[in-house]
Amino acid sequence: MRYGYFGPEGTFTQAALLAWRPAEGAEHVPFPTVDAALRGVQSGAVDSAMVPIENSIEGGVPATIDALNALRLVIVGEVLVPITFVLVAPPGTSLTDIRTIGTHSHAWAQVRGWAAEHLPGATYVPALSTAAGPQALEAALAAGEPPPYDAAVCAPVAAGSLEVLAEDIGDNKTAVTRFVLVARPGWLPKPTGFDKTTLVLYQHSDRAGGLLELLEQFATRGINLTRLESRPTGAAMGSYCFSIDLEGHLRDERVADALLGLRRTAADVRFLGSYPRADLRAATVESAASDAAFADAREWLRSLG
Ligand SMILES: O=C(O)C(=O)C[C@]1(C(=O)O)C=C[C@@H](O)C=C1
């Protein structure tokens, strides 16, 4: 088994893959971007890949949400990782020396309050990932070249030979990122009772009540949504699709029935996987939306003649 991940070593995504506990002997393959990791899955270079999809502070990760849909891949599992950031710099640097800070855009969004308070003059320089930031600093030091920035923000494990100047600098100490393991279609994890399903819905046209009509398919079947985001389709200005996570599995009667309803009413329905949720929280299902209630209704209909 070959597992890809958004690397290099030391990213929060690698921490998520380790928390997933791949079987002994499995290969772990780092990719420099989310897109490259997902393309690696599509081409068969790896069997699956771990990528970030949602942060409790900064929200959805568009690179993942859009590429999953465009490449027609499926989510087969999820992992939650608490996020803690440190500020690192070449040994001997003091806070007053820092004018530029390199890190991933999602990480910067989570520490900018701290930076505004403690390093008001410093500006942000984008890096490919939180681990790429300190690695570029170390590489410049080793080569005797000017560093791309004065300091980096990363996970504590990514500090390497750099000095940790400040710990736990996240603006929100309870920040959590949700990561998903992604595979090619055809891999459907078994229902567990605590599952999630990810869909992308397209409307026929932009009109009053269009989104409401789609959402009614879930409401009338007692399905709770856990994430809803609109993303541009790219077709024209103002053209959006809806990326949705819901409680339940494709094999649950209420979810299957909602998909049938959506297939009739939406312009397109993309199924992006059913998978056990990381917090193991079971879906709340009213008795009228249970598998038994659907089976009973079908039996009753059949009995009518
Ligand atoms: O750069 C990393 O370490 C990542 O794994 C990416 C990522 C993200 O895209 O959200 C993951 C967790 C943190 O919220 C910041 C960055």
Side-chain angles (χ1 to χ4, degrees), residues 133-282:
Q135 284 190 7
L137 275 181
E138 283 184 317
L141 275 181
E145 287 166 4
Y149 21 75
D150 303 322
V153 169
C154 61
V157 296
S161 62
L162 301 175
E163 196 174 323
V164 176
L165 296 185
E167 287 180 88
D168 204 6
I169 62 171
D171 297 331
N172 185 321
K173 306 297 179 213
T174 61
V176 173
T177 297
R178 186 163 76 91
F179 296 85
V180 286
L181 189 70
V182 173
R184 291 181 291 283
W187 177 344
L188 181 68
K190 287 195 181 64
T192 60
F194 48 86
D195 305 290
K196 267 187 198 171
T197 293
T198 300
L199 303 173
V200 181
L201 306 179
Y202 291 77
Q203 285 176 292
H204 280 292
S205 60
D206 179 23
R207 65 198 154 76
L211 175 59
L212 182 63
E213 207 170 86
L214 297 179
L215 295 182
E216 272 171 348
Q217 301 290 339
F218 302 114
T220 56
R221 287 155 182 109
I223 296 172
N224 183 36
L225 305 186
T226 56
R227 185 182 58 87
L228 166 64
E229 285 178 69
S230 39
R231 293 294 308 151
T233 65
M237 176 59 83
S239 169
Y240 283 90
C241 57
F242 302 105
S243 172
I244 287 175
D245 290 344
L246 57 90
E247 283 183 351
H249 191 283
L250 175 64
R251 297 274 185 257
D252 292 334
E253 295 263 7
R254 67 187 191 288
V255 176
D257 203 56
L259 282 168
L260 290 177
L262 289 164
R263 172 79 185 172
R264 285 186 286 102
T265 47
D268 196 4
V269 183
R270 308 253 177 103
F271 172 73
L272 299 190
S274 288
Y275 46 91
R277 54 189 292 169
D279 59 11
L280 311 185
R281 219 172 59 213

Side-chain angles (χ1 to χ4, degrees), residues 6 11-13 52 55 83 104 106-107 110 129-130 177 179:
F6 171 32
T11 57
F12 289 102
T13 314
N55 173 262
I83 301 294
H104 188 270
H106 255 70
Q110 295 173 69
S129 66
T130 55
T177 297
F179 296 85

